Amino acid sequence: MATFNLTINGTSQQVDVDPSTPMLWVLRDHLDLVGTKFGCGIAQCGACTIHMNGNAVRSCQLPVSAAEGASITTIEGLSEQGDHPVQKAWMEHDVPQCGYCQAGQIMTAAALLQQNPNPSDEDIENAMNGNICRCGTYTRIKAAVKTASQNL
Amino acid sequence: MATLDKKLDRRSFLKVSALAGGGMVLSFSWLAGCKPITEEELLAMPKEWFELNSYIKIGENGAVTLFSPNPEFGSNVKTSMPMILAEELDTDWKKVIVEQADFYPERFDRQFTGGSQGIRQGWKPLRTAGATARAMLVAAAAKTWNVSPTEITTSAGVLEHKGSGKKAHYGEMASLAATMELPEQVTLKETKDFKIVGSSKKNVDAQKIVTGKPLFSIDHKVEGMKYAAIVHPPAFGMKLKSFDKSSIAGMSGIVDVFPIRLFKEDYERNFFDTTTFPEILAIVGNSTWEVMQAKKNLAVEWENASESSFEVGGFGGRPNTKVTVLSGLENTNRHKEQMKEFITKPGNVVRRDGDPEGMFKKAAKIIEKTYSAPFLAHNTMEPMNCFADVKGDKAVIYGPTQAPEMIMGTLVQALGIPKENIQINLARMGGGFGRRAYSHHMTEAALISQKIQAPVKMVYTREDDMTAGVYRPTYSATYRAALDENNNLLALHVKAGGIPESPIHANRFPAGALDNYLAESWDIPSNITIGAFRAPRSNFIAGAEQSFLDELAEVMDKDPIEFRLELLKRAEINPVGENNDYDAKRYAGVLELVREKSNWNTPATGVHRGVSAYFCHNSYVAEVVDTKIVDSKPVVEKVYAAVDCGIVVNPDAATNMGEGAIVDGIGNAFFGELAFENGVPTKTNFDKYRMIRQKETPKSIEIHFVDSKEDPTGLGEPFFPPVFAALANSLYKATGKRYYEQPFAPQLEMQNLKM
């Protein structure tokens, strides 16, 4: 066990955990930020996507020791009122079915638009390809990313 | 005006009561008045199905709360079902609050999401309940204003008496309405007057989903809660021999490790008590990560299980069946050999019309093709998990289940706690697809909690989830057609089976459309457990049948849609045999609609198209898939679907469901596969088990609904089965090769195409 000082959604947090603990479980079990989801544990599904210094990362593969000093954003901190252009576009297109993967999808999309505000279809497909949606809402996800890019 | 049958009314068990603090609550039975068609069927239904199981709550402030009793797994019933209630209540949808009802055995029996039945079975009782509440509000207003109820109109939650100009919100009349007599009969709206049903409404939970609010049981946490992981045998056909507690002693955060058994010796299992491993190990600790680490280190010895058998209660009043679990470690290669052996062996005849054998003897040409598909894992994105708090003789269970009603009996026997002391709270499910009709994960969490007498959250790893069984079975189907010298179709023969169940539906199309038809069925026992998977059986047989019809049409030199329409015409005007399980006209209707919408005869340049149509779960769907080969890569350019599901309650949500099922079907057709070596699943996570992703998704999907006034039927499943053949038939046009074996990707790669 060791103490780690983290900056999550703009707030300083301290946790006392094993250094190997992935951020996914630090967020979910220790900080009660459960919007970040567990899907596969091996960085293959994208359900656990968060932002580290603005980049989309898979929190199941990010040890807490590597997150110290970085600025971490989770779905809960993407916007204060749930009105980030990506979140709004997701609601406008009524994207979710079961909803489980969508926080990860949204975080990936938000990071994409941060770096590339006008992505082409191919850019969107490439960026979103790491996020599995078992319900198959991919066409709506793509449409929502385009809408969000127009409303940045 | 549609008026309710009095017989149904008497059995509806509507009940009104005053709401503490003012307002009314109308409780009603979920099932009454819907499924039963005849008096006999009505009387044969279990009494408890008529218990009060849902609510409309109207507060004095006018707030309308509608309880959605069916568990939500993504089919949007939590939005669509209350829309039906709100329609007949004639309230303002914007002011409606929808809540997920929990499972109360005394009120909510028969809460089940599956079989695409939610909307179909909910339609009449929901309408009746909404109309009843409206009628009572009208009666209360009539009494207050001293006018005739017939002179009162309602609109968007407001009562009005035009003659006197009096108006009141529902909330103002709710407390008085709660004291009114329940009406003997109510009038339902005419479909042309619908304002809410038929207009798209957004998912009521969308805001919570996109902001990451805790909606799932995997998100649940209470003070003092422990975390648990499970360890199950590594292979089908194996069981626990021993484990060494000391192997994880001293590991950080570990509290205990112990075996749990799901069923007591004398317990008679119900239909949904399917589980692969009735005895597993539980590791309890202070955090998920710590128990997952301990799981890797725990030393366990496994041994081969001997053959066992047990009785399973029948589903929906059917007789019990005896299930035998074979001993031995099974292999996919051997499964394939076993299935091949059945092609030449006689099966069980499940349907025979005319003289098919005679026709095959005198045929000028016989075409025979065999289709197959592997086991599939459901792979819900939220792994199996459950929260349980069992202390003394009380239990609270919060978990993802499609069938709370079925798991209650299991929990009662496993815990030794009476039903009335077990509270099941229903979580939103991170996907179901049939998998969560089998709720062993809830029993497991409950037993762990009971053992430690503390609240616990048990979570499967992805590997646990993918290797714990309850799969879509592996199937094979051989189709044969007898043709005369002029390529006229004389007879059709299908022989199909699977491990461990057959995919045959004896009375479905093309039965009824052919003078000479033979259907045979077979099955091979196995110890690999299977369960419902989106459109069970249809999800395979549709692909085989519709691929074969496509090949047949080509040999007969007919347009594939025209050929199907000819068969359906025959089934419509002069059907062969009895009990044909489809409406040939509605079937033809979706083919005609998809032909029109896809401009079937004039495809875009470079596009290869395939068609397919299927009927299951009371809805008809036809699909056209357009593929292109771009840089040696098969690309699904566009999918057109036409569906006849009666009235469409929530069009955009229905469209979403259709798009998702089509994507799911394309994914499974290309990639879906689970194989076994010595009883061990060869894939354990998404690195090996390929799922469809953004890049393989069709560039565009168009869903078209047949304009219909028929009562609505389900949508979760019917879009799924036809995709397999529409894709295969399209790929045939693109590559010149037929695809008989799922998944298609390995064969496409052998043709030097990139997948």
Side-chain angles (χ1 to χ4, degrees):
Chain A
M1 293 295 194
T3 302
F4 296 92
N5 294 300
L6 304 165
T7 307
I8 295 162
N9 300 329
T11 309
S12 297
Q13 302 266 16
Q14 207 173 60
V15 289
D16 186 25
V17 294
D18 185 278
S20 71
T21 311
M23 275 305 293
L24 168 66
W25 299 112
V26 171
L27 293 168
R28 292 185 55 83
D29 288 358
H30 301 276
L31 298 173
D32 298 340
L33 291 167
V34 293
T36 304
K37 293 293 190 269
F38 168 54
C40 69
I42 58 166
Q44 291 292 313
C45 78
C48 67
T49 305
I50 58 171
H51 295 174
M52 183 161 83
N53 300 327
N55 296 311
V57 294
R58 306 294 187 233
S59 66
C60 74
Q61 296 300 304
L62 177 68
V64 61
S65 52
E68 242 188 347
S71 167
I72 299 287
T73 307
T74 71
I75 186 72
E76 291 90 346
L78 185 62
S79 64
E80 274 185 27
Q81 307 291 329
D83 57 357
H84 185 281
V86 174
Q87 289 169 314
K88 280 166 76 176
W90 244 248
M91 285 190 279
E92 186 187 326
H93 288 271
D94 219 14
V95 173
Q97 285 188 27
C98 87
Y100 192 79
C101 75
Q102 300 297 349
Q105 304 273 2
I106 289 168
M107 294 308 282
T108 304
L112 163 71
L113 295 177
Q114 181 74 30
Q115 278 142 26
N116 179 0
N118 287 302
S120 65
D121 279 19
E122 205 183 342
D123 294 336
I124 297 172
E125 286 174 20
N126 285 333
M128 303 305 298
N129 209 49
N131 289 70
I132 297 174
C133 172
R134 176 66 182 83
C135 300
T137 63
Y138 297 119
T139 49
R140 284 176 187 244
I141 287 171
K142 197 169 168 185
V145 174
K146 285 189 198 173
T147 298
S149 78
Q150 286 151 19
N151 298 322
L152 286 174
Chain B
M1 288 271 186
T3 306
L4 281 176
D5 188 321
K6 271 190 160 186
K7 275 179 211 138
L8 299 182
D9 237 8
R10 278 202 306 275
R11 287 185 169 265
S12 291
F13 291 119
L14 287 146
K15 188 186 158 201
V16 69
S17 42
L19 189 60
M24 76 182 284
V25 181
L26 183 80
S27 320
F28 63 97
S29 165
W30 196 243
L31 264 192
C34 57
K35 189 83 182 295
I37 303 150
T38 65
E39 181 87 3
E40 292 72 42
E41 281 180 279
L42 192 68
L43 293 170
M45 284 176 74
K47 194 166 90 271
E48 61 272 19
W49 284 17
F50 293 97
E51 286 176 17
L52 305 176
N53 61 8
S54 193
Y55 296 91
I56 299 170
K57 195 166 83 181
I58 303 169
E60 277 194 327
N61 60 359
V64 176
T65 308
L66 305 178
F67 284 78
S68 180
N70 276 33
E72 175 66 87
F73 64 9
S75 59
N76 211 21
V77 286
K78 195 175 169 185
T79 306
S80 305
M81 296 179 101
M83 281 173 68
I84 302 170
L85 263 182
E87 179 66 68
E88 291 288 352
L89 179 61
D90 212 9
T91 190
D92 183 355
W93 178 251
K94 288 193 203 80
K95 290 182 187 157
V96 167
I97 300 157
V98 178
E99 283 183 18
Q100 171 72 61
D102 287 325
F103 180 72
Y104 297 99
E106 74 278 16
R107 294 199 300 247
F108 286 96
D109 271 1
R110 194 62 192 173
Q111 278 167 270
F112 181 79
T113 293
S116 299
Q117 294 304 303
I119 293 290
R120 177 172 174 253
Q121 298 198 1
W123 180 245
K124 279 209 176 130
L126 288 165
R127 292 185 70 191
T128 308
T132 302
R134 180 188 164 277
M136 294 173 81
L137 290 159
V138 167
K143 194 174 173 190
T144 307
W145 299 334
N146 201 20
V147 298
S148 163
T150 56
E151 292 169 16
I152 293 174
T153 58
T154 58
S155 178
V158 177
L159 296 140
E160 186 175 6
H161 182 250
K162 290 226 165 68
S164 61
K166 285 185 170 137
K167 274 191 183 183
H169 290 280
Y170 280 1
E172 295 170 58
M173 292 296 165
S175 291
L176 181 60
T179 67
M180 309 298 290
E181 284 268 306
L182 275 166
E184 279 267 312
Q185 291 187 32
V186 288
T187 4
L188 302 178
K189 282 187 180 178
E190 287 190 57
T191 53
K192 71 172 174 55
D193 296 326
F194 284 167
K195 291 174 201 153
I196 297 171
V197 166
S199 68
S200 295
K201 302 293 177 212
K202 303 279 189 205
N203 188 326
V204 293
D205 279 335
Q207 175 85 26
K208 288 179 185 162
I209 291 168
V210 304
T211 52
K213 295 285 182 298
L215 284 168
F216 305 90
S217 59
I218 203 169
D219 302 336
H220 195 58
K221 188 178 183 182
V222 299
E223 193 59 37
M225 184 180 86
K226 294 293 176 192
Y227 296 79
I230 60 117
V231 182
H232 68 63
F236 292 81
M238 295 195 96
K239 64 178 177 122
L240 177 66
K241 186 181 177 195
S242 65
F243 66 101
D244 179 9
K245 214 169 177 167
S246 70
S247 59
I248 58 168
M251 280 190 77
S252 162
I254 298 305
V255 174
D256 202 356
V257 51
F258 48 83
I260 50 170
R261 271 180 175 281
L262 269 61
F263 308 111
K264 298 223 161 70
E265 286 298 326
D266 58 347
Y267 171 66
E268 185 184 287
R269 298 194 194 187
N270 76 50
F271 185 80
F272 289 108
D273 274 333
T274 305
T275 182
T276 299
F277 306 115
E279 187 182 27
I280 58 172
L281 288 164
I283 303 170
V284 179
N286 295 334
S287 75
T288 313
W289 179 246
E290 285 166 318
V291 293
M292 283 182 179
Q293 293 304 102
K295 191 173 145 59
K296 291 177 194 159
N297 284 12
L298 183 67
V300 190
E301 274 194 81
W302 310 100
E303 62 186 348
N304 288 345
S306 46
E307 184 175 304
S308 63
S309 63
F310 47 85
E311 284 235 332
V312 173
F315 182 46
R318 293 191 187 97
N320 287 6
T321 51
K322 193 179 165 191
V323 173
T324 300
V325 181
L326 301 176
S327 64
L329 306 175
E330 299 182 21
N331 288 285
T332 295
N333 287 342
R334 177 66 193 132
H335 285 160
K336 286 182 178 172
E337 285 167 17
Q338 282 178 299
M339 295 206 290
K340 258 188 197 142
E341 287 162 16
F342 271 85
I343 297 172
T344 48
K345 277 198 250 180
N348 303 315
V349 174
V350 291
R351 172 134 176 176
R352 178 189 276 113
D353 294 311
D355 178 23
E357 290 89 346
M359 288 297 154
F360 275 96
K361 272 189 198 126
K362 68 178 207 187
K365 193 188 284 178
I366 293 174
I367 303 168
E368 178 178 320
K369 300 293 170 190
T370 296
Y371 302 82
S372 66
F375 284 96
L376 296 175
H378 292 78
N379 295 336
T380 58
M381 286 309 291
E382 179 195 28
M384 296 305 126
N385 71 89
C386 188
F387 167 86
D389 189 0
V390 183
K391 282 195 202 92
D393 67 347
K394 291 225 163 28
V396 177
I397 319 287
Y398 178 56
T401 177
Q402 291 174 238
E405 173 199 7
M406 306 309 293
I407 198 64
M408 182 55 99
T410 320
L411 289 167
V412 167
Q413 68 84 29
L415 299 172
I417 292 176
K419 186 175 167 172
E420 51 276 14
N421 285 4
I422 300 175
Q423 163 78 41
I424 300 177
N425 297 334
L426 298 180
R428 185 182 188 86
M429 286 169 267
F433 311 101
R435 178 63 181 85
R436 291 192 227 264
Y438 313 91
S439 311
H440 53 87
H441 47 282
M442 301 180 89
T443 317
E444 290 159 12
L447 286 168
I448 297 168
S449 175
Q450 187 176 44
K451 168 93 178 170
I452 63 169
Q453 289 289 302
V456 71
K457 181 166 70 181
M458 178 205 70
V459 178
Y460 278 30
T461 61
R462 175 56 57 191
E463 290 80 6
D464 294 330
D465 190 277
M466 204 177 280
T467 57
V470 199
Y471 304 120
R472 198 288 299 266
T474 180
Y475 297 115
S476 165
T478 302
Y479 279 84
R480 296 166 71 226
L483 300 168
D484 69 12
E485 58 281 1
N486 297 318
N487 281 335
N488 292 310
L489 181 59
L490 300 175
L492 197 80
H493 174 205
V494 53
K495 195 194 293 177
I499 304 174
E501 63 154 27
S502 167
I504 283 265
H505 292 274
N507 299 317
R508 286 217 185 132
F509 181 80
L514 297 152
D515 287 313
N516 302 291
Y517 179 76
L518 177 64
E520 292 178 87
S521 180
W522 51 265
D523 51 68
I524 298 168
S526 166
N527 61 23
I528 296 168
T529 54
I530 56 109
F533 185 111
R534 196 172 213 164
R537 298 167 290 284
S538 305
N539 61 34
F540 167 71
I541 202 74
E545 169 202 302
Q546 292 288 313
S547 295
F548 187 69
L549 289 186
D550 203 71
E551 192 158 351
L552 199 51
E554 190 183 33
V555 173
M556 294 167 73
D557 199 23
K558 290 188 177 192
D559 172 78
I561 292 183
E562 204 49 54
F563 174 51
R564 287 169 174 83
L565 289 175
E566 281 172 21
L567 291 171
L568 288 163
K569 197 67 184 171
R570 169 68 205 273
E572 184 196 335
I573 59 176
N574 183 20
V576 180
E578 285 172 9
N579 303 321
N580 294 326
D581 184 19
Y582 59 95
D583 179 330
K585 206 170 173 186
R586 291 180 78 180
Y587 217 136
V590 291
L591 273 162
E592 283 159 357
L593 185 61
V594 88
R595 177 167 66 180
E596 176 203 325
K597 296 294 180 185
S598 68
N599 291 313
W600 174 252
N601 293 317
T602 49
T605 334
V607 153
H608 308 280
R609 30 181 45 173
V611 67
S612 167
Y614 205 67
F615 164 69
C616 72
H617 298 85
N618 317 101
S619 297
Y620 301 81
V621 179
E623 288 164 355
V624 167
V625 167
D626 284 355
T627 56
K628 261 184 180 174
I629 306 291
V630 183
D631 300 332
S632 299
K633 194 174 160 56
V635 173
V636 182
E637 197 64 26
K638 186 152 187 171
V639 181
Y640 302 84
V643 55
D644 183 350
C645 58
I647 292 165
V648 183
V649 175
N650 192 357
D652 191 44
T655 301
N656 194 353
M657 185 100 290
E659 292 163 356
I662 285 165
V663 170
D664 188 6
I666 290 171
N668 276 298
F670 272 140
F671 313 119
E673 182 182 34
L674 194 64
F676 300 88
E677 278 173 21
N678 295 318
V680 179
T682 55
K683 297 171 184 174
T684 63
N685 205 325
F686 297 132
D687 52 342
K688 296 259 172 59
Y689 199 115
R690 190 162 171 192
M691 308 289 285
I692 190 166
R693 291 171 183 268
Q694 186 66 249
K695 282 187 191 175
E696 297 98 16
T697 296
K699 302 299 168 204
S700 132
I701 301 174
E702 266 183 33
I703 310 283
H704 299 277
F705 297 96
V706 170
D707 188 20
S708 171
K709 300 285 175 248
E710 299 277 336
D711 286 356
T713 51
L715 278 181
E717 284 157 308
F719 281 106
F720 185 64
V723 199
F724 294 81
L727 177 66
N729 297 338
S730 168
L731 290 170
Y732 164 66
K733 291 283 179 59
T735 69
K737 189 179 177 307
R738 292 274 177 191
Y739 299 89
Y740 300 105
E741 198 180 335
Q742 291 173 27
F744 303 149
Q747 297 154 72
L748 290 159
E749 281 166 348
M750 279 168 65
Q751 293 172 268
N752 294 319
L753 292 168
K754 287 184 274 184
M755 286 306 301

